[in-house]
Amino acid sequence: MSGHEEFFHKIKYVAELVKNIPDDEEVLIFSHLDADGLTAGSIVFKSLMDIGLSTCIKIIKQLDESVINSLPSNREYIFFVDMGSGQKSLISTINNKKVFIIDHHQPELQELEGEINPHYFGIDGSMEISTSGVAYFLAKEINNKNVKLSQLAIVGALGDMQDRGERGTFIGLNSIIAKEAETAKILRTKLGLRLYGSESRPLIQCLANTMDPYLPGLTGDEGACLKFIKSLGIEPKKIDGSWKTQSDLSSEELRALISGLIKYLISTGLPSKEAEKIVGTIYIFPNEAEDSPLRDAREFSSSINACGRMGKYGLGISICLGDRNQALMELKQVIQEYRRTISRYINWILSNSESIKILSHVQAIHGGTTIDDKLLSPLLSILYTTKLFSRDKPIIGFSSSSGYVKVSARAPLELVNRGINLGLLIKDAAEKFGGIGGGHNIAAGAQIPLGKEEEFLMYLNEIIKREFDHFAPKVDNQEIHAIKRDGEIH
Ligand code: C5P
Ligand code: C5P
């Protein structure tokens, strides 16, 4: 059997286990707070409710001992969604419960009976399918009508940045999900400028709203976007005084906008190959209202991520389960607050160069208590788009939470292709200092005891240096703070 066949065989097997859960049992789902976790949790929640199971969902930052200790005695069936595969030694301490794991992180120990994880079948869970995709295939196996949940699977995959094919297409199992969604008329794709809401919104708003890719200096600032558009020789308004949308641009103006944006992104420090990705596949949900933040799949995804990061878990789940009334109004405020907070953090980093530490093989940002630990992850994901960090070493971020330090780590694809596996490295370093960690080759995270940041960083630097010395950075930075007053690293 091929890897895909074995994967679908396991999906069928676990779907049977799920269908055999007795009706009078109460099920508890734990899922993660990011877009993939909220969408995957919602898919599992909906498919269990639909077969008549009394189900409760809890969104958590992290699966740790406190979660295991708090498991209620009246719920025998526990689902860990977008978590669990990397924490199986912890899960093995659970007694007298039936555990399911729906996940795509790099697993530890042996596969469990109720566990579905693409990595066991040679399928790369960081590129080819996210947890929401795994949950979707399970839901569809439980009931074929669940093909409509492909919308959430796409939102989750985009949240985990899995649009890894040529021009932002999906690869592997994600591309199967996208095809099924297109056939069911849930999804439409086209090539174009990857700006949020580019079909219907004024150009200025599209630029200011776009979070993926993050447009430093433009995202969140309509005034700066207006100046930018004018600087490209584009008149932002129509003759009748209304704002132009992308479709109102002449082909000359559109060309000026594309090349202006690419040049702008390169000027902020992005390699040209990355900057050119501003043109790519746009994913549209035609059944969502034209002016809705849920119509463009990438915007849907960052909206759900915003809910999780701002602690509005219930709102995120409501949206995923189909609430389009009061929830949409509330969502717009949450998105605005999220964007404002992220750009405040970026400005804080830009003006606090002492918070950055550059070692020979890693670079780090110490957020202390200034950066909310729930927001460290999305912040880290966009730091390579600023000039402060170079793409020849991983970025490690720290932020202090109550009782521990939250760690997030990211590496550019170039380093992953050369063999860096952040998930394994961070797990090793976290465990060395009494913490827990894991994740993907490209993005990983951990919790470590307060005060251990420096030792953790030095150790990580050492193991990367020792094991991967052939990845030696092009610029040989000294192991000291090396920031110029204007924020440039040398
Ligand atoms: O827990 P989970 O797998 O869903 O999280 C992966 C995280 O890594 C997401 O927050 C995603 O945005 C981030 N990521 C990233 N850069 C990539 C791939 C994933 O920042 N290239
Ligand atoms: O928290 P952050 O999004 O930066 O984490 C990056 C990846 O590492 C995510 O996929 C997350 O689920 C994973 N992670 C983990 N164990 C931790 C913390 C994060 O597997 N202790």
Side-chain angles (χ1 to χ4, degrees):
M1 268 202 281
S2 72
H4 279 196
E5 282 167 343
E6 283 178 18
F7 172 77
F8 284 113
H9 193 261
K10 184 69 196 263
I11 292 271
K12 253 188 182 22
Y13 182 81
V14 175
E16 278 313 306
L17 294 180
V18 172
K19 286 196 252 180
N20 284 326
I21 299 177
D23 284 358
D24 55 351
E25 285 292 347
E26 299 195 337
V27 179
L28 177 56
I29 301 171
F30 287 98
S31 195
H32 190 217
L33 57 70
D34 71 0
D36 190 35
L38 287 166
T39 49
S42 301
I43 292 173
V44 176
F45 179 77
K46 181 144 192 3
S47 46
L48 297 189
M49 291 287 284
D50 285 352
I51 56 169
L53 291 170
S54 154
T55 311
C56 169
I57 180 164
K58 275 195 179 175
I59 301 302
I60 56 173
K61 286 197 267 187
Q62 164 86 45
L63 174 52
D64 56 21
E65 245 171 56
S66 68
V67 175
I68 304 294
N69 293 337
S70 70
L71 288 178
S73 54
N74 63 338
R75 304 223 174 216
E76 194 187 338
Y77 287 82
I78 310 290
F79 280 70
F80 294 110
V81 177
D82 201 29
M83 60 183 65
S85 285
Q87 295 94 2
K88 289 223 287 282
S89 16
L90 186 63
I91 287 175
S92 69
T93 63
I94 302 175
N95 293 319
N96 305 323
K97 302 233 181 265
K98 304 223 165 41
V99 170
F100 287 83
I101 298 175
I102 318 294
D103 199 0
H104 72 136
H105 294 99
Q106 296 178 98
E108 65 166 9
L109 307 178
Q110 288 216 310
E111 188 189 24
L112 299 184
E113 188 188 17
E115 178 179 13
I116 316 176
N117 187 316
H119 285 282
Y120 287 117
F121 311 100
I123 299 165
D124 184 348
S126 67
M127 308 269 181
E128 297 176 44
I129 188 161
S130 66
T131 302
S132 57
V134 180
Y136 164 70
F137 284 124
L138 176 67
K140 217 172 47 125
E141 192 57 46
I142 293 172
N143 184 343
N144 214 14
K145 282 197 186 131
N146 283 332
V147 73
K148 56 183 182 295
L149 297 175
S150 55
Q151 180 182 24
L152 293 181
I154 287 158
V155 171
L158 289 171
D160 272 7
M161 303 183 179
Q162 294 198 341
D163 45 346
R164 292 315 183 109
E166 247 330 83
R167 296 176 176 238
T169 49
F170 286 124
I171 56 172
L173 292 170
N174 279 328
S175 64
I176 298 178
I177 301 171
K179 262 198 208 100
E180 293 185 355
E182 281 187 90
T183 309
K185 305 224 177 316
I186 291 166
L187 176 71
R188 184 154 54 77
T189 61
K190 63 176 195 182
L191 266 184
L193 251 187
R194 279 179 42 180
L195 298 179
Y196 288 4
S198 60
E199 278 205 321
S200 53
R201 295 223 194 96
L203 199 52
I204 311 291
Q205 270 184 24
C206 293
L207 281 167
N209 287 352
T210 299
M211 290 290 289
D212 170 23
Y214 190 83
L215 308 170
L218 297 178
T219 297
D221 187 344
E222 288 193 13
C225 295
L226 179 61
K227 267 196 208 147
F228 176 72
I229 293 289
K230 285 187 170 170
S231 76
L232 299 176
I234 299 171
E235 176 47 53
K237 286 189 177 175
K238 293 194 273 190
I239 299 169
D240 67 5
S242 61
W243 294 103
K244 279 184 185 170
T245 65
Q246 201 181 305
S247 56
D248 295 319
L249 299 181
S250 66
S251 49
E252 223 167 82
E253 284 177 321
L254 187 60
R255 261 199 305 276
L257 177 61
I258 292 173
S259 73
L261 265 174
I262 293 176
K263 277 189 203 144
Y264 180 79
L265 287 171
I266 292 173
S267 78
T268 66
L270 220 57
S272 55
K273 226 173 135 195
E274 289 297 314
E276 282 162 12
K277 287 186 184 159
I278 192 74
V279 178
T281 306
I282 301 170
Y283 298 88
I284 297 152
F285 297 132
N287 304 328
E288 301 291 349
E290 281 222 335
D291 61 346
S292 164
L294 310 179
R295 190 169 169 94
D296 180 306
R298 285 194 184 84
E299 189 172 4
F300 192 151
S301 179
S302 62
S303 306
I304 292 299
N305 198 30
C307 291
R309 303 297 173 184
M310 304 304 286
K312 306 279 185 189
Y313 308 145
L315 178 65
I317 299 278
S318 298
I319 299 273
C320 289
L321 294 178
D323 189 342
R324 298 290 183 268
N325 298 315
Q326 182 60 29
L328 260 189
M329 308 278 290
E330 211 184 308
L331 180 68
K332 286 178 188 165
Q333 285 169 8
V334 172
I335 298 169
Q336 234 179 21
E337 190 52 35
Y338 172 69
R339 242 186 249 126
R340 255 191 238 126
T341 313
I342 293 282
S343 56
R344 198 175 68 236
Y345 287 161
I346 291 185
N347 289 335
W348 178 81
I349 296 174
L350 288 171
S351 54
N352 284 279
S353 54
E354 68 283 358
S355 63
I356 297 174
K357 182 141 192 180
I358 312 290
L359 302 189
S360 62
H361 287 68
V362 289
Q363 49 199 339
I365 168 78
H366 288 275
T369 50
T370 305
I371 293 172
D372 180 333
D373 68 323
K374 291 199 294 311
L375 286 144
L376 184 65
S377 164
L379 183 66
L380 260 270
S381 295
I382 56 184
L383 282 183
Y384 281 118
T385 62
T386 69
K387 268 188 173 168
L388 291 172
F389 297 93
S390 66
R391 296 178 66 88
D392 55 10
K393 37 187 135 169
I395 304 181
I396 316 298
F398 298 100
S399 116
S400 306
S401 190
S402 46
Y404 64 88
V405 174
K406 159 76 192 152
V407 183
S408 268
R410 300 287 183 268
L413 191 58
E414 302 92 273
L415 288 188
V416 171
N417 288 340
R418 287 153 72 188
I420 282 271
N421 188 330
L422 279 184
L424 300 182
L425 291 164
I426 293 287
K427 183 174 168 63
D428 172 5
E431 285 171 3
K432 173 148 181 85
F433 296 102
I436 47 171
H440 308 286
N441 48 15
I442 200 157
Q447 263 185 27
I448 57 171
L450 288 166
K452 290 286 177 196
E453 299 94 309
E454 287 307 320
E455 286 171 80
F456 176 89
L457 200 58
M458 298 290 275
Y459 177 72
L460 201 57
N461 194 56
E462 270 316 300
I463 51 176
I464 296 181
K465 191 173 176 176
R466 199 170 57 229
E467 292 181 32
F468 304 102
D469 215 23
H470 50 294
F471 301 133
K474 285 166 226 113
V475 186
D476 188 22
N477 288 300
Q478 289 186 332
E479 298 193 5
I480 50 167
H481 297 243
I483 317 289
K484 278 190 200 160
R485 240 194 307 255
D486 62 6
E488 292 279 316
I489 297 166
H490 65 129

